[in-house]
Amino acid sequence: MERYNNIIEFDEISSTNDYSMDLVRREQVPEFTVVRTDFQTKGRGQIGNCWVSNRGENLLFSVILHPSHIPANNQFILSQCVSMAVCDTIACFCDNVTVKWPNDVYVGERKIAGILIENLLISKMIETSVVGIGLNVNQTSFVGAPNPTSLKLEIGQDCNCKAVLELFLTKFRECYEAISESSDAIRTAYGQHLYLLNTVSSFKDKNGVFKGAISAVGDDGKLLIIDENGAHRHYYFKEVEYLHPHFDR
Ligand code: BTN
């Protein structure tokens, strides 16, 4: 393990999110402490999925925050802030970067980064947030992921993982500090970067398959889809599925 400038680095660890959570339970951890590893043996994704990543090829890290200024019922703003900082970072290398609601980052039709935010709440406030990010940097072949991409696949050359991390941290600090003043700019930017925004596509909810277009995301994080009949349908995470082609690379 190596520690410098609030960055704790490992060659191998189970999961940077799990390590970060254990750390904040054991000791006081300064805000913006970063836990980064070259390899995870139990990397976790959304909805109980695994996050699998080749050794040393990608960015796998967690940022520890104490967002005491964000009420728990407004926690989606943190997700928007992280998503936009990841988008802005990737946009330094390639075009057509979007956020597939709620917080997968896409280049074109392919996923380049995933975000897993886990919170410790005290009464109605977020005491600690562990913001876990897996960003595909130099990996070029993937097993199991349906439509992955990486910076190297997009731009045709290797990127320095640590430089990409530094870029992200600068952008994330800016966004994070900005939301303590006002959330408006981040909400607007997030809304403008939605994957499939205003594009008629197929979706599936508990009542079946339908066609509609993503129109916006509410402050509460609910996705608004306007269906073919003009009806407004609102969804929390996991209540609706995107039906779009899967790709083989
Ligand atoms: C997803 O898209 O399902 C979210 C993936 C999040 C993966 C990152 S890698 C670093 C951090 N540690 C984990 O175990 N998960 C997150």
Side-chain angles (χ1 to χ4, degrees):
M1 193 243 270
E2 253 186 72
R3 196 170 187 146
Y4 66 93
N5 288 346
N6 279 351
I7 301 190
I8 306 171
E9 296 200 307
F10 294 87
D11 294 334
E12 177 175 319
I13 200 179
S14 58
S15 148
T16 57
N17 268 39
D18 291 348
Y19 181 91
S20 302
M21 272 297 175
D22 287 349
L23 191 66
V24 294
R25 289 195 172 104
R26 278 201 314 269
E27 57 186 78
Q28 294 266 16
V29 183
E31 182 146 88
F32 269 96
T33 297
V34 175
V35 177
R36 190 190 77 76
T37 191
D38 282 339
F39 186 71
Q40 295 185 130
T41 52
K42 274 196 191 151
R44 293 187 293 109
Q46 300 274 359
I47 47 172
N49 290 332
C50 300
W51 186 261
V52 179
S53 167
N54 285 358
R55 188 178 294 273
E57 295 189 352
N58 300 313
L59 266 177
L60 305 166
F61 66 99
S62 303
V63 185
I64 297 167
L65 302 171
H66 302 294
S68 47
H69 53 294
I70 302 178
N73 62 8
N74 193 24
Q75 54 185 272
F76 191 67
I77 189 63
L78 184 59
S79 181
Q80 290 176 305
C81 182
V82 179
S83 304
M84 289 323 299
V86 175
C87 268
D88 285 356
T89 303
I90 294 165
C92 292
F93 301 88
C94 38
D95 295 331
N96 205 3
V97 187
T98 57
V99 191
K100 184 176 168 201
W101 173 86
N103 54 16
D104 284 345
V105 180
Y106 269 52
V107 176
E109 296 291 326
R110 295 178 187 276
K111 178 166 170 174
I112 194 164
I115 298 167
L116 179 65
I117 301 177
E118 296 177 298
N119 294 323
L120 283 181
L121 304 181
I122 290 194
S123 75
K124 291 197 168 115
M125 306 308 282
I126 306 172
E127 211 272 327
T128 299
S129 251
V130 171
V131 173
I133 297 172
L135 197 166
N136 299 332
V137 180
N138 293 318
Q139 189 166 335
T140 52
S141 71
F142 295 83
V143 180
N147 55 337
T149 190
S150 65
L151 288 178
K152 184 169 181 178
L153 284 171
E154 295 301 325
I155 64 171
Q157 63 187 61
D158 279 304
C159 294
N160 179 308
C161 286
K162 287 189 187 174
V164 178
L165 174 61
E166 288 303 330
L167 191 58
F168 166 79
L169 290 173
T170 305
K171 292 185 179 295
F172 183 45
R173 261 182 197 277
E174 279 168 19
C175 291
Y176 184 67
E177 277 159 21
I179 58 169
S180 67
E181 298 291 317
S182 163
S183 306
D184 296 351
I186 292 295
R187 288 197 207 285
T188 304
Y190 178 93
Q192 289 168 344
H193 282 81
L194 283 171
Y195 174 70
L196 294 179
L197 180 68
N198 298 327
T199 306
V200 176
S201 321
S202 296
F203 299 91
K204 188 177 171 190
D205 67 9
K206 63 179 185 345
N207 299 315
V209 174
F210 66 97
K211 281 206 164 78
I214 290 176
S215 172
V217 171
D219 292 356
D220 54 1
K222 270 184 156 177
L223 182 70
L224 167 61
I225 299 177
I226 303 182
D227 73 17
E228 284 180 305
N229 304 317
H232 287 210
R233 302 183 183 214
H234 299 267
Y235 298 98
Y236 278 122
F237 185 40
K238 296 182 219 168
E239 291 178 345
V240 68
E241 202 183 312
Y242 295 66
L243 298 180
H244 57 86
H246 280 184
F247 303 85
D248 297 318
R249 168 112 57 188

